[in-house]
Amino acid sequence: SAAAVAAGFSCLDLGNDFAGSIRQPAHFCGVYGLKPTDRRISTAGAIPEVPGMPICLRQMMTVGCFARSIEDLQLCFELIAGADPCRPDVPPIPLDIPTGKSLTTLKIAWSDEWAQVPVSAEIKSAMVAGSQKLAAAGANIVRWCPPDWDFSKIFVLYGRMSAYVNKYAQPIDIYNVRRSVELLWRTATQGEKQLRELGDFSRFLPELLNPSLKGYFQALTERDRFIAQMDAAIEPWDVWICPVAATPAFTHRPAWSAVDLDGRSYPHVVANGAYTMPFNLSGQPAVVIPIARTLAGLPIGIQLVGKRWREMELLSIAREIDKIVGDFRYPPGY
């Protein structure tokens, strides 16, 4: 979908995001992407349940959109947001009304990378240049990360939630079992040891093979605490800017194979999930804006994280920031 929008085949398209599958393609393809608040948009029709199985993907899975402008993201979001009788767990919360703050009155938090997961030198350089442009334009931008931010702990909780939610979300047959084992094996064995230990999904294998109702409720309770902590941490800020992924677009390879980055080998899930999974876990909305290109011509995006249920405010802020740092490039012929 992101590639189709980038190439001019479509002005809008939809996607789903369980670990970054809207934000990362937007970043890789140089387009705009929106992951809304968890349960803001119905998944009916977009994420069908496996025939004969219960609806499983009730947490962390969101539906959002790709576009070639913030205005088109907003148009699409307004059309698809809201309650749906096919998914009664989607609450009938009205869209928020933006405050209309100007760039100079915004309080912007900013992180160019997290200590445990370094980003590529070109992404870090683009992030720093973007922050300098915003500061020069009069924005109040401050380097920040939530207190006690520990990606390894966040990832463990995300992995446990994912194990429970996905248990019956795919057919239990030889193909899927073999594929899951292959993915777990590559995650556990590929990439540098230090980075591999951050993103080792195999540690959840016992829970995946022998899930318990108590374990599921424990994971849900821990997620509730994390959501509350994130809500409190981001409350003083209008938006938090951070990377979308550790790497720009990479070459085609077997699913979940390691990615080489600046002389280091990153497990796939760390290179392309570390900066997106936490916000599936916290449920906060995020917008991706293209801001630069690598020397090889590959797009680089930034992620703008907002407050839950405040997508219209986030899109309004994204529009102001995009005016300063945006580097969207139209397809040839436009």
Side-chain angles (χ1 to χ4, degrees):
S1 295
V5 171
F9 296 165
S10 171
C11 58
L12 287 172
D13 217 325
L14 301 179
N16 62 74
D17 192 313
F18 187 74
S21 296
I22 291 172
R23 290 161 289 164
Q24 291 166 25
H27 160 65
F28 293 149
C29 297
V31 298
Y32 298 86
L34 168 65
K35 181 202 85 73
T37 302
D38 194 8
R39 299 196 188 188
R40 168 64 94 174
I41 295 172
S42 169
T43 60
I47 314 293
E49 62 273 16
V50 175
M53 301 297 282
I55 299 172
C56 301
L57 295 173
R58 295 175 177 268
Q59 292 92 24
M60 305 197 297
M61 176 64 82
T62 57
V63 173
C65 41
F66 302 100
R68 290 195 292 271
S69 70
I70 298 293
E71 290 77 12
D72 283 352
L73 281 184
Q74 181 174 326
L75 172 64
C76 185
F77 171 70
E78 289 177 328
L79 288 171
I80 64 177
D84 180 355
C86 294
R87 290 288 189 272
D89 60 334
V90 177
I93 296 177
L95 299 185
D96 60 294
I97 300 174
T99 58
K101 290 183 178 181
S102 65
L103 183 70
T104 56
T105 59
L106 293 173
K107 296 176 68 176
I108 302 173
W110 169 73
S111 303
D112 59 356
E113 67 179 7
W114 299 335
Q116 292 170 293
V117 187
V119 301
S120 76
E122 289 184 296
I123 289 178
K124 186 168 185 177
S125 177
M127 293 285 300
V128 171
S131 69
Q132 292 172 342
K133 288 180 183 177
L134 288 169
N140 176 22
I141 182 167
V142 178
R143 185 185 289 272
W144 177 83
C145 211
D148 302 320
W149 184 261
D150 187 336
F151 171 72
S152 61
K153 292 181 180 179
I154 294 169
F155 184 84
V156 167
L157 179 55
Y158 173 90
R160 291 183 62 221
M161 278 293 304
S162 179
Y164 280 105
V165 170
N166 278 289
K167 172 65 176 178
Y168 301 107
Q170 60 183 3
I172 303 175
D173 53 27
I174 293 177
Y175 168 79
N176 279 292
V177 170
R178 184 173 60 192
R179 181 174 179 272
S180 296
V181 170
E182 288 176 353
L183 299 185
L184 289 169
W185 175 255
R186 288 172 188 152
T187 300
T189 60
Q190 294 187 9
E192 293 183 12
K193 181 179 179 180
Q194 183 179 4
L195 294 170
R196 193 169 66 238
E197 289 174 350
L198 286 177
D200 183 5
F201 269 145
S202 66
R203 75 182 84 174
F204 312 119
L205 196 56
E207 265 184 297
L208 189 60
L209 295 175
N210 188 30
S212 69
L213 187 59
K214 181 179 179 181
Y216 180 44
F217 284 141
Q218 286 176 333
L220 283 173
T221 302
E222 291 179 36
R223 186 194 182 211
D224 287 342
R225 293 195 192 102
F226 180 67
I227 291 172
Q229 291 167 359
M230 283 299 299
D231 283 348
I234 204 169
E235 179 59 33
W237 305 99
D238 291 298
V239 69
W240 179 21
I241 298 176
C242 59
V244 187
T247 175
F250 49 91
T251 56
H252 184 68
R253 63 198 62 214
W256 288 50
S257 295
V259 178
D260 293 331
L261 179 61
D262 293 347
R264 301 182 67 183
S265 179
Y266 279 56
H268 185 283
V269 71
V270 175
N272 301 290
Y275 288 94
T276 50
M277 287 178 179
F279 307 117
N280 293 93
L281 189 62
S282 71
Q284 286 155 329
V287 169
V288 171
I289 294 175
I291 63 164
R293 298 277 173 137
T294 67
L295 291 176
L298 299 173
I300 295 173
I302 56 170
Q303 181 173 207
L304 278 59
V305 181
K307 297 178 174 67
R308 289 191 304 141
W309 310 109
R310 297 283 295 170
E311 286 91 352
M312 298 298 284
E313 175 75 359
L314 177 60
L315 289 165
S316 177
I317 292 170
R319 195 157 36 240
E320 293 301 308
I321 291 175
D322 185 52
K323 292 175 184 176
I324 306 301
V325 302
D327 186 44
F328 172 75
R329 304 184 188 185
Y330 284 94
Y334 274 67

